[in-house]
Amino acid sequence: MASNTDFVQYVADQCAGAGEITVKKMFGDYGIYCDGKIFGLICDDRFYVKPTEAGRSLLRTVDLQPPYEGAKDYFYIADVDDHDYLSTLVRETCRSLPEPKPRKKKGS
């Protein structure tokens, strides 16, 4: 089951205080990015954040689940209605994640 685009946009809007939030469709669901850095997934209308110690310290409830079969565990975020909480969680998670590797130009 793919995610509803309204839900995807709602989660993106709720995270917006962390930076520039974008989503990209991936394999029928979505990757969610802050300032160009992927920090989570939205799969089957459920929001998942990459696990970091910084993120763990902010979570109200630690619930590790794979977002899809065969995936590593992510933090499942059930409460997507608190804008300030999500913005802080995303901002601190992204500070802990490595910078994305530069993409190679085609033909190189």
Side-chain angles (χ1 to χ4, degrees):
M1 178 176 105
S3 293
N4 178 304
T5 55
D6 290 338
F7 178 78
V8 172
Q9 188 59 54
Y10 180 73
V11 171
D13 291 345
Q14 290 297 89
C15 297
E20 181 185 348
I21 303 297
T22 56
V23 293
K24 293 184 184 175
K25 196 160 182 130
M26 302 170 67
F27 311 110
D29 279 302
Y30 296 84
I32 186 165
Y33 299 74
C34 180
D35 298 329
K37 189 183 288 188
I38 189 166
F39 68 87
L41 300 170
I42 301 172
C43 301
D44 297 331
D45 290 335
R46 294 167 60 99
F47 179 43
Y48 299 90
V49 173
K50 286 186 175 186
T52 64
E53 285 306 313
R56 181 183 295 272
S57 70
L58 294 169
L59 290 176
R60 295 173 177 159
T61 304
V62 175
D63 185 359
L64 283 165
Q65 299 180 17
Y68 55 89
E69 190 174 324
K72 292 181 181 179
D73 284 344
Y74 277 56
F75 293 134
Y76 167 59
I77 311 300
D79 179 9
V80 296
D81 296 323
D82 186 335
H83 172 78
D84 293 335
Y85 170 66
L86 288 185
S87 294
T88 300
L89 175 61
V90 169
R91 186 180 316 107
E92 294 307 313
T93 295
C94 287
R95 283 184 183 155
S96 298
L97 294 173
E99 290 300 317
K101 295 177 182 163
R103 297 186 75 161
K104 293 182 181 180
K105 293 182 181 175
K106 290 187 179 189
S108 299

